[in-house]
Amino acid sequence: MSKQFQCTNFGNCKDADNGTVFEESKVEEIDGSFSCPTCHQKLEEIHQKKAFNGKAIGIIAGALALIAAIVVGIIMLLNHKSASDEPVQKATPDIEQPVAPVEKPTVVHDTVVVEKKDTLVRRDTVVVEKTKTVSQPARPKVTQFSYGSFKGNLKNGQPHDVNGTMTYTSRHLIDSRDPQKRYAEPGDYVIGEFSDGKLVQGVWYDRTNTVKGSIIIGK
C-alpha cells in the first residue's frame, strides 16, 4: 500500500490548512525525507489503522454462544439429578385408634398491613466545560529590497529563515554562488532556507505558481 503524507506547517502553507493528503509517488524526496510541494517543509506520514476482521468477530461470537448453551445444559442436568436423588418416604398403614372428641379451637386471624415505601435518591450531574485556547501563529515579517520583497526573519538586515519567501520585482541573480547563475524574472519567487542573506536550498516558482526548478547550494 502506498504511503500517505500530510503537511503540518499550519498558518504558512495552504495545503496544511486545507488538510491535503499527498501520495508517496506524487511528492519529492529530499535527503531521505518527503517535502511539501507548496512550502517544502518535511511531510508527516499518515498511519492508517487496520480494520477489524468481521469474519473473526463472527467466529468469536458463535463460540461464546455455544459455550453459554453448554453451561445452561449442565446446570439443568445437575438440577434434575439432584431432584431424582431425594429419598421417597414409604407410606405406613393406617391404624385405627379410638379418638376422643376434641373441641375445635377458635382461630383468630390477625391482618398485618405493611406499607411499602419507595425511596428515590436524586443525584445531580455537573458538567464542566473546558475552553481550549488555540494560539494563532505570528505572521512572518515582510521586508522590501531594491529587487523584491522577503517574507521571513532577518539577521543583520539580511534574509535569515528556514522557511522564507523571496519575491522578485525585477530581473535579479538568485544567488551569486549558484554555478548555473540562474536569474529570477519579475513575479518569480523562491521558497526555501535562507542564511545570512544567502539561499541554502529552495524551490523556484514563476508568477503563475509553476515550479521552474529546485535550487540546492548549501551554506
Side-chain angles (χ1 to χ4, degrees):
M1 181 180 293
S2 176
K3 295 183 180 180
Q4 293 181 334
F5 300 86
Q6 197 168 23
C7 182
T8 58
N9 189 14
F10 299 105
N12 296 319
C13 178
K14 63 181 181 180
D15 287 327
D17 297 334
N18 295 334
T20 303
V21 177
F22 300 98
E23 297 292 337
E24 181 181 3
S25 59
K26 297 182 179 180
V27 292
E28 183 180 3
E29 182 179 2
I30 300 176
D31 296 335
S33 61
F34 294 94
S35 300
C36 175
T38 300
C39 68
H40 304 286
Q41 289 293 301
K42 182 179 178 181
L43 295 175
E44 297 293 335
E45 182 179 353
I46 301 175
H47 298 282
Q48 301 178 355
K49 298 182 179 178
K50 296 183 179 179
F52 288 102
N53 191 331
K55 184 176 181 181
I57 294 176
I59 295 175
I60 295 174
L64 292 176
L66 179 61
I67 294 174
I70 294 175
V71 172
V72 172
I74 293 174
I75 294 175
M76 295 179 63
L77 180 63
L78 292 177
N79 291 338
H80 178 73
K81 182 177 180 181
S82 176
S84 61
D85 291 342
E86 293 181 358
V88 180
Q89 296 181 355
K90 296 182 179 180
T92 55
D94 296 335
I95 301 176
E96 294 184 358
Q97 297 289 341
V99 179
V102 179
E103 294 183 358
K104 295 182 178 181
T106 301
V107 179
V108 178
H109 298 280
D110 294 333
T111 302
V112 179
V113 178
V114 179
E115 293 183 359
K116 182 179 180 182
K117 295 182 179 180
D118 295 331
T119 302
L120 178 63
V121 178
R122 179 179 178 181
R123 297 180 179 178
D124 296 332
T125 302
V126 179
V127 179
V128 179
E129 295 183 356
K130 294 183 179 180
T131 303
K132 184 178 181 181
T133 303
V134 179
S135 60
Q136 297 295 334
R139 294 186 176 182
K141 180 181 178 181
V142 177
T143 304
Q144 298 293 332
F145 292 90
S146 61
Y147 53 86
S149 61
F150 179 74
K151 182 170 69 174
N153 297 320
L154 302 178
K155 181 179 180 182
N156 298 325
Q158 297 297 324
H160 189 83
D161 200 314
V162 295
N163 187 29
T165 301
M166 175 65 77
T167 303
Y168 297 89
T169 56
S170 62
R171 192 171 188 271
H172 192 270
L173 180 64
I174 295 177
D175 196 289
S176 60
R177 301 173 303 145
D178 182 12
Q180 301 181 28
K181 301 300 180 182
R182 284 167 280 195
Y183 278 82
E185 300 297 333
D188 289 359
Y189 60 95
V190 176
I191 299 176
E193 181 182 355
F194 293 81
S195 177
D196 294 321
K198 303 295 183 181
L199 175 64
V200 178
Q201 62 180 359
V203 179
W204 179 16
Y205 298 85
D206 64 10
R207 64 171 61 249
T208 62
N209 300 322
T210 301
V211 176
K212 299 179 71 172
S214 296
I215 303 174
I216 300 176
I217 301 175
K219 293 185 178 181

